[in-house]
Amino acid sequence: AQSVTQPDIHITVSEGASLELRCNYSYGATPYLFWYVQSPGQGLQLLLKYFSGDTLVQGIKGFEAEFKRSQSSFNLRKPSVHWSDAAEYFCAVAPFSGGYNKLIFGAGTRLAVHP
Amino acid sequence: NAGVTQTPKFQVLKTGQSMTLQCAQDMNHNSMYWYRQDPGMGLRLIYYSASEGTTDKGEVPNGYNVSRLNKREFSLRLESAAPSQTSVYFCASRRQGEKLFFGSGTQLSVL
């Protein structure tokens, strides 16, 4: 069965430090890959997506993610975290054939940022 | 810009009661979705409507019904609420080929 794993439930970093959030998926073929962010009391907002092509994708708010086929991973990175980045982050995958109608979300990683 | 509007924002029900969650979007999107979010589980798709007049089951449809009233509105109904349906419910919409836009959620507690 298709699945998405975010191994880290909670991560705490200091403001200005670098960040990497992990995401692993299990799919038979390369799926569509997404990262979403959810601020408290809000819906999800798309940070970035990967469909094909360059395996390093740039998103909003200074985030980037790298698709590694050999590791079935799509990790999210940011070189310098700001206090406003504190939120919950969700990785999601969708099969090439089903697209958004078959999105599967990971359980999320909650990010805390220390001043 | 209103985007995706969900009502109500909070609701408390007793077991066996019924209610309808409302969702409306003003972006002329074809597709609309209902998700539930539970701690430690991410979002799971309940139902979706790829276009006006069509609805399809998602991953967790049991205990729910939906109605795509028109292009703007997509409602989710709980006929007989159960404690297992305590969750945060999100509506989302999108235009074909574009990203999802989410509402701010409805927090539902079933006692």
Side-chain angles (χ1 to χ4, degrees):
Chain A
Q2 301 97 340
S3 65
V4 180
T5 302
Q6 294 181 245
D8 305 304
I9 298 174
H10 296 278
I11 285 183
T12 300
V13 299
S14 298
E15 191 169 16
S18 63
L19 172 70
E20 183 170 25
L21 303 183
R22 296 182 291 164
C23 173
N24 294 95
Y25 65 90
S26 69
Y27 257 104
T30 301
Y32 295 157
L33 298 160
F34 307 83
W35 274 100
Y36 286 86
V37 61
Q38 184 181 32
S39 299
Q42 300 298 314
L44 278 68
Q45 181 184 18
L46 181 67
L47 284 174
L48 49 78
K49 63 186 178 185
Y50 173 78
F51 286 177
S52 65
D54 192 347
T55 57
L56 184 64
V57 293
Q58 303 297 320
I60 62 171
K61 303 186 181 188
F63 286 91
E64 65 178 27
E66 185 172 13
F67 167 57
K68 293 186 177 180
R69 185 190 307 273
S70 62
Q71 298 177 16
S72 296
S73 69
F74 188 55
N75 293 350
L76 182 71
R77 300 195 294 247
K78 187 168 185 178
S80 177
V81 171
H82 188 263
W83 64 266
S84 60
D85 293 324
E88 189 153 21
Y89 292 80
F90 293 92
C91 180
V93 301
F96 180 81
S97 59
Y100 277 105
N101 296 340
K102 302 291 184 182
L103 264 184
I104 296 176
F105 287 84
T109 298
R110 186 170 297 278
L111 174 67
V113 180
H114 280 178
Chain B
N1 293 334
V4 179
T5 303
Q6 291 182 234
T7 56
K9 292 190 181 301
F10 301 94
Q11 183 71 49
V12 179
L13 295 177
K14 295 181 180 179
T15 297
Q17 287 185 314
S18 63
M19 80 158 296
T20 300
L21 307 185
Q22 306 286 353
C23 175
Q25 52 88 12
D26 61 0
M27 296 173 282
N28 201 36
H29 288 172
N30 290 322
S31 301
M32 298 185 73
Y33 304 80
W34 275 107
Y35 291 90
R36 60 178 289 173
Q37 183 179 32
D38 301 294
M41 300 189 72
L43 274 72
R44 292 181 292 168
L45 182 64
I46 305 171
Y47 271 94
Y48 68 96
S49 171
S51 61
E52 186 178 355
T54 68
T55 61
D56 287 284
K57 295 178 180 179
E59 183 184 356
V60 289
N62 291 346
Y64 304 95
N65 287 301
V66 291
S67 295
R68 184 73 182 267
L69 305 171
N70 47 55
K71 193 170 187 179
R72 290 187 65 248
E73 299 172 288
F74 188 40
S75 62
L76 179 72
R77 183 160 178 83
L78 287 70
E79 290 291 352
S80 179
S84 61
Q85 294 178 305
T86 293
S87 188
V88 181
Y89 292 84
F90 286 97
C91 179
S93 71
R94 72 179 185 98
R95 184 174 289 117
Q96 187 172 358
E98 298 186 0
K99 68 180 182 180
L100 283 169
F101 287 82
F102 284 86
S104 57
T106 295
Q107 190 165 326
L108 175 67
S109 294
V110 183
L111 306 178

